[in-house]
Amino acid sequence: MGGISSHSAAERCAHRMGLYGCPLLLLLIGASVCWGECPCSDPALCQPIQDTRDFEVYVFYVGGKNWKFYDWAHVTTVALFAPYDPELMCYAHSKGARFVLKGDVPLKDIVDPDKRSAWIREKVKLAKAQYMDGINLDIEQIVFTDTPEYYALTALVKETTEAFHREIPGSQVTFDVAWSPKCIDIRCYNYTAIADLCDFLFVMSYDEQSQIWTECIAGANAPFNQTIIGYEQFINMSIDPKKLVMGVPWYGYDYRCLELTEDHKCKLEKKPFRGAECSDAVGSQVPYRSIMKNVNNSLTGRLWDDVQKAPFYNYKDAKGKIHQVWYDDPESISLKVAYIKTLGLRGVGMWHGDLLDYSDDPIAQQQTADMWKVLLP
Ligand SMILES: *[C@@H]1O[C@H](CO)[C@@H](O)[C@H](O)[C@H]1NC(C)=O
Ligand SMILES: *[C@@H]1O[C@H](CO)[C@@H](O)[C@H](O)[C@H]1NC(C)=O
Ligand SMILES: *[C@@H]1O[C@H](CO)[C@@H](O)[C@H](O)[C@H]1NC(C)=O
Ligand SMILES: *[C@@H]1O[C@H](CO)[C@@H](O)[C@H](O)[C@H]1NC(C)=O
């Protein structure tokens, strides 16, 4: 995501005014009158959202217009992981939901405090120009304890939060963390400080097979026990549960099996990841909507693993190779979501909001409605 130049401002402006394809002069006139002008029919909708709600429902948006079908009665934040859509901004604000930027930067670039400040200033400026309500820091890089990057990351979170809170009243600064604070994928961050210094952490309780330390067999994307243990670890390092939002996956993993045993163990090809011999990187991520299209035509139909508390199925591809697909559905998600209350977490969210089938097919509509409904306590 680049900075704001007057060129991009003019473009955005032209877009708002429907001036694309018009002569340059008109474009320039448009830019001069509408830089900073609100794109919403009601100018009040360009105000940042001020109030907080008790239960957070956090949605990552990756593109398209399916946002129209989100459960807006409950959505509290939409994180923009896609090009800016002014219509979505106006709509989110009309529903009292925050609309926040994505923030990602190579940590080696912000070890220098001046460069860090410059990066933050640019993000605040972009958020203001787009009438947005904060930022989601999605820094998933390798960090070793006690390195310059380790301290720079903590400082980044502190300074970003201070700048946004100061410049955009009511704004929200959040930070994405792996399912556990125990250096997963070599993300050895100062988790207690980071949680303290931002509004809350979005816990990515998925990709939990990113480092397979035991037998190389396919497993659930977000096994129940492992997921809950992750939250206990955050809480045990004295992070306030109200600083934690539970992220659930709306996608699964499709693994090709080297061998499938009778008790459904799918042996995986080796693929080392950050120290572990095997990983989910041998699988491919599949949207819930595709899984729902395929599960009934698979070899097995939906099966349930009572240890990991997750559904899966086996199928044969066009070349005759056996695959195993692990995913989450309302049953597995509801078990995890029940722990939001037990542990006193701040809310729920998903990666990502655009993985469901929002078509008008009645079966798909029901499945989509069920996935949204199960998020609520
Ligand atoms: C984490 O950051 C806090 C606040 O800056 C500091 O007091 C603490 O020593 C740090 N912990 C570690 C393990 O670096
Ligand atoms: C968290 O702390 C509690 C109380 O000390 C302990 O019973 C539990 O096993 C710990 N959980 C984890 C995952 O470390
Ligand atoms: C698949 O089967 C289940 C269980 O019988 C059924 O509820 C569901 O509607 C079917 N899905 C589709 C896409 O037909
Ligand atoms: C899951 O956790 C429960 C409670 O701590 C324990 O009794 C059970 O054995 C665990 N299951 C697995 C598969 O680890």
Side-chain angles (χ1 to χ4, degrees), residues 21 171 175 231 281 285 309 316 358:
S171 65
F175 187 92
Y231 290 94
Q285 297 185 351
K309 309 233 176 283
K316 202 182 263 189
Y358 293 100

Side-chain angles (χ1 to χ4, degrees), residues 8-221:
S8 67
E11 252 182 18
R12 203 168 35 252
C13 177
H15 187 74
R16 281 177 200 164
M17 298 189 71
L19 288 178
Y20 272 130
C22 291
L24 181 66
L25 181 64
L26 198 52
L27 196 100
L28 290 174
I29 293 167
S32 63
V33 298
C34 95
W35 164 241
E37 200 172 278
C38 174
C40 313
S41 55
D42 176 0
L45 294 180
C46 280
Q47 293 302 313
I49 299 297
Q50 298 283 343
D51 31 305
T52 48
R53 282 187 268 171
D54 285 344
F55 191 76
E56 182 77 33
V57 177
Y58 198 100
V59 183
F60 288 95
Y61 160 75
V62 305
K65 289 288 182 187
N66 280 336
W67 55 261
K68 293 185 175 170
F69 305 102
Y70 292 171
D71 176 13
W72 288 102
H74 299 102
V75 169
T76 52
T77 301
V78 175
L80 177 66
F81 279 49
Y84 180 62
D85 180 350
E87 197 192 353
L88 171 51
M89 182 277 290
C90 300
Y91 197 80
H93 282 185
S94 78
K95 301 294 180 184
R98 285 186 174 77
F99 188 40
V100 302
L101 287 174
K102 171 188 178 175
D104 185 16
V105 58
L107 291 176
K108 62 174 173 35
D109 293 359
I110 51 102
V111 169
D112 178 277
D114 292 335
K115 289 190 181 147
R116 195 160 65 235
S117 306
W119 185 85
I120 295 168
R121 262 198 313 277
E122 191 183 290
K123 290 297 165 194
V124 169
K125 196 170 154 195
L126 180 60
K128 279 185 168 177
Q130 298 183 153
Y131 308 100
M132 295 177 75
D133 312 274
I135 191 165
N136 174 261
L137 295 169
D138 186 38
I139 313 276
E140 304 194 20
Q141 297 158 41
I142 291 184
V143 176
F144 292 96
T145 312
D146 231 358
T147 54
E149 288 79 10
Y150 176 87
Y151 295 105
L153 180 59
T154 310
L156 177 74
V157 175
K158 179 174 191 283
E159 293 160 17
T160 304
T161 307
E162 286 170 353
F164 270 85
H165 285 180
R166 186 178 62 240
E167 300 283 330
I168 305 175
S171 65
Q172 179 194 76
V173 178
T174 56
F175 187 92
D176 301 334
V177 298
W179 64 271
S180 149
K182 304 281 180 190
C183 287
I184 298 304
D185 301 347
I186 321 186
R187 295 178 215 171
C188 306
Y189 310 157
N190 186 339
Y191 287 96
T192 38
I194 289 173
D196 208 37
L197 294 166
C198 69
D199 290 304
F200 57 85
L201 305 180
F202 182 94
V203 183
M204 299 182 283
S205 298
Y206 39 76
D207 301 340
E208 296 185 30
Q209 311 297 337
S210 64
Q211 295 167 299
I212 302 176
W213 299 104
T214 53
E215 212 184 342
C216 291
I217 56 167
N221 191 7

Side-chain angles (χ1 to χ4, degrees), residues 194-365:
I194 289 173
D196 208 37
L197 294 166
C198 69
D199 290 304
F200 57 85
L201 305 180
F202 182 94
V203 183
M204 299 182 283
S205 298
Y206 39 76
D207 301 340
E208 296 185 30
Q209 311 297 337
S210 64
Q211 295 167 299
I212 302 176
W213 299 104
T214 53
E215 212 184 342
C216 291
I217 56 167
N221 191 7
F224 176 77
N225 262 23
Q226 193 170 316
T227 296
I228 303 308
I229 286 169
Y231 290 94
E232 287 177 357
Q233 289 169 342
F234 281 107
I235 294 166
N236 278 6
M237 60 204 303
S238 68
I239 291 174
D240 179 354
K242 287 284 174 268
K243 288 271 182 153
L244 302 170
V245 162
M246 178 185 284
V248 299
W250 278 2
Y251 65 96
Y253 274 90
D254 179 328
Y255 294 100
R256 207 179 76 187
C257 310
L258 293 178
E259 189 192 324
L260 184 69
T261 67
E262 253 175 53
D263 55 349
H264 300 294
K265 273 189 183 176
C266 166
K267 292 224 172 100
L268 299 178
E269 200 183 316
K270 290 198 170 128
K271 183 148 188 172
F273 187 70
R274 299 189 185 171
E277 213 173 31
C278 300
S279 74
D280 57 18
V282 292
S284 50
Q285 297 185 351
V286 264
Y288 184 71
R289 63 167 176 271
S290 317
I291 291 167
M292 287 301 98
K293 281 216 175 76
N294 295 326
V295 57
N296 288 358
N297 307 321
S298 65
L299 289 174
T300 56
R302 179 187 185 273
L303 298 173
W304 178 259
D305 182 294
D306 206 36
V307 175
Q308 301 177 74
K309 309 233 176 283
F312 69 100
Y313 63 88
N314 303 328
Y315 78 94
K316 202 182 263 189
D317 69 21
K319 291 179 186 151
K321 304 278 189 205
I322 299 286
H323 293 238
Q324 189 167 72
V325 179
W326 285 87
Y327 61 105
D328 275 272
D329 68 2
E331 185 175 356
S332 66
I333 293 172
S334 71
L335 294 171
K336 287 178 274 224
V337 162
Y339 265 76
I340 292 174
K341 255 199 174 142
T342 312
L343 299 169
L345 310 182
R346 188 188 193 110
V348 74
M350 85 298 290
W351 179 264
H352 55 70
D354 305 310
L355 288 164
L356 305 182
D357 185 339
Y358 293 100
S359 73
D360 54 11
D361 173 73
I363 293 174
Q365 276 186 337

